[in-house]
Amino acid sequence: MMSLVLGYGLLQLISQATAALALSLVLKFKWIIFCVICLFFGLLAIDQRLVKREY
């Protein structure tokens, strides 16, 4: 999370117009991004359960 904030800050130093565009894009697709992140962590949790299972 901190890397995203630092990346946004660096982008804002380079070009404020591009930083505003990137932020508006993230806010526009926030639910899709949130669903993808939840799917990723769900797959990680399933993977860990399958690894711990003894066959």
Side-chain angles (χ1 to χ4, degrees):
M1 184 69 178
M2 194 65 171
S3 62
L4 292 174
V5 172
L6 289 173
Y8 176 74
L10 183 62
L11 184 61
Q12 194 169 18
L13 283 175
I14 295 170
S15 173
Q16 289 183 353
T18 306
L21 180 65
L23 184 62
S24 71
L25 245 144
V26 167
L27 292 177
K28 187 182 290 185
F29 296 108
K30 64 184 168 201
W31 290 112
I32 295 173
I33 295 169
F34 179 72
C35 289
V36 168
I37 291 171
C38 286
L39 177 68
F40 175 72
F41 283 115
L43 288 173
L44 282 178
I46 290 170
D47 181 53
Q48 288 302 311
R49 286 185 184 177
L50 290 176
V51 167
K52 290 180 183 177
R53 180 184 284 181
E54 292 184 20
Y55 292 101

